[in-house]
Amino acid sequence: MNKELVFKRVAFLSATLILIVLVSIFIMLFFDAKSAINKYGVYFLVDSRWNKTIEIKSTESKTNPSKLIAKTSKTNDDVSMNNDNLFADDSSVLGDSESLDNSAGDKAVDESVDTNTNVKTDTIFGGYIPIVGTILSTLIAMTFSIPIAMGIAVFLSEIAPDFLIKPVGIAIELLAAIPSIIYGMWGLFYFAPIVQNTFGGSQMSLLIAGLVLGIMILPFMAAITRDAMNTTPDVIKESAYALGATKFEVVKDVIFPYAKVGIIGSVVLSLGRALGETMAVAFLIGSVFKVPGSLTNPTISIPVVLANNFGEASGDMMSSLFYLAFILFVFSFITIGAAKFYFLRGRR
Amino acid sequence: MKGTEKRRLIINKIILALSTISALLGLIFLFWILITLFLKGLNALDFSLFTKDLVDGGLRNLIFGQFMMALIATIIGVPLGMLAGIYLREYGSGKYANIIRDLSDIMMSAPSIVIGAFVFAVFVAPFGGINGWAGSIALAIMLIPIVVSTTDNMLSLVPIELREAGIALGGSKHKVILQIILKAAKVGLMTGILLAFARVIGETAPLLFTSGTNSFWSTDLGNAFPSLTVSIYDLANFPTDKARDLAWAASFLLTVIVLVINLIGRFIIRDKG
């Protein structure tokens, strides 16, 4: 009897561990990102500067969001002392402009202020470019893979002769099992040159990364879309065929409406996976902090920023990386959560 | 009347053709990747790769390291995942179990690099550097939700009569679970564990800054630990042909390992399941 209770408790704790791990991922990422969140705030999301050293001059402090400087003061005492200076400078400059017909003495003060403030530099981190890169590469991947995945799913559930369903199905699932780093290698050495020759642009680009990402999520999306389509009862399909519908009409007017929710769920779930994919993209996106002017330009995505910089980072950069990781986690949690809760609910 | 009939048939043909073509396209990509891997990999493959470490141009330590970390992840993750799955299916009822089930599903698709970042924050930064344990734990976190979902699904296939029969014989619930239900679901569970192992052994992103990699033979999990996948990433970005060949050989081996384990899993299911 006692053993029974112990077993139940242990099982309960193991189940609770999942909750604990997820909550601690949230907390740890937020905790480690906190200094960056405090320093850059929401502006981080639209700031395209990454690892840019800027000088905090008194004149610049007016154009900069003052919040940024005020927040800096929280991070360490040294800066907060400088910060006091800075505000003092600010007022002196203001005073300067008020009395424009100033004396030589005033100018000297002004200069000394300048040299004083030039010493203070700050490194700014903003997440705009990786966020845009992540969204764009995922969009390209989805645009490429949705039609093909639908085609494969329709083929497997309606068209394929019986002897083909199994082997093709297994082949598609094996394609899903291949580690992502292999897609990256293959993409880099074999697929990228073809894309480059066809569309021009650089050796690594947003387009190449997006396409390889699309090829990577293709089998996953196809497999779960097929499962969703297969939930359509045969009776309904047969009724439609009996009324003289063609296969396409059955797919369009019977299977799609019936399995709509499941199919959308599959697509959203694949989107969630694509958002967080690292290795396939890391080889191909070019890892350049630049807003891509065209699809064939290199850029960077959040997972790739993390993969490339986590090892050596410290201070503000580290905290900014955690900020990015937190953003990515929240993004994909919401996406995958939406897919699971809203669309795939009844499919268990 | 005849015109619309014809149009319907033509549209039908076109769509069916397109869908067949997309299936072909999927297969073409699979074979393209596999053929590339085989040609490049077999070309670079050499028996000496299995006897030398990375520092001497071999892969021995990397293969060992990757297996070791995936194995430790399995040893940590399988009992926890199975217990959690047992709770969800056999004990859990109502809201709490459903929430855990959903969270586990979400965790299964969570970005692996974020899990790497989390493990870095908890098991690397406080301990002063990358280490094999952190890598194993990151893989275990990836593995647990897969095992939970497999256990949950496989136990749901065990008929309720078996449970009733066990209870009727006077067995306590945990005895019935451990001695009857788990045995009945054995094949499915084994397959699930195999597939989960195959999934984590090919992971790179969670290892990048948790275990890192190591060019030398190492059994010390307290330090940078050799990882096949992380080394593939490093080697592929290395400009020399020799490094790239080694990366291809490593990729080939990795893919063969993953696909063979997957095929074995499927074979077991088809044979007995």
Side-chain angles (χ1 to χ4, degrees), chain B residues 145-164:
Chain B
I146 309 177
V147 177
V148 171
S149 139
T150 309
T151 310
D152 194 13
N153 289 332
M154 289 305 149
L155 293 190
S156 74
L157 298 178
V158 178
I160 186 105
E161 287 79 7
L162 271 182
R163 294 178 178 82
E164 289 167 352

Side-chain angles (χ1 to χ4, degrees), chain A residues 4 12 14 16 19 32 151 159 173 175 181-182 185 190 244 248-249 278 308 310 318 332 336 345 348, chain B residues 8 12 19 22 30 36 40 83 87 91 96 102-103 105 109 111 120-121 173-174 209 229 233 236 255 266:
Chain A
E4 169 65 24
F12 174 77
S14 305
T16 308
L19 182 68
D32 280 339
I159 301 171
E173 276 163 35
L175 197 55
I181 191 164
I182 307 293
M185 282 274 286
Y190 287 89
F248 167 61
E249 284 160 350
T278 313
N308 290 345
F310 224 93
M318 197 58 168
S332 48
I336 300 162
R345 178 113 289 228
R348 182 155 294 127
Chain B
R8 281 176 57 210
N12 182 47
S19 133
S22 40
L30 175 70
T36 313
K40 277 294 206 174
L83 280 167
Y87 178 81
Y91 292 103
Y96 186 71
D102 286 331
L103 289 181
D105 279 351
S109 297
F120 178 90
K173 196 164 182 182
H174 78 278
F209 32 80
T229 48
Y233 186 48
T255 311
R266 265 161 231 288

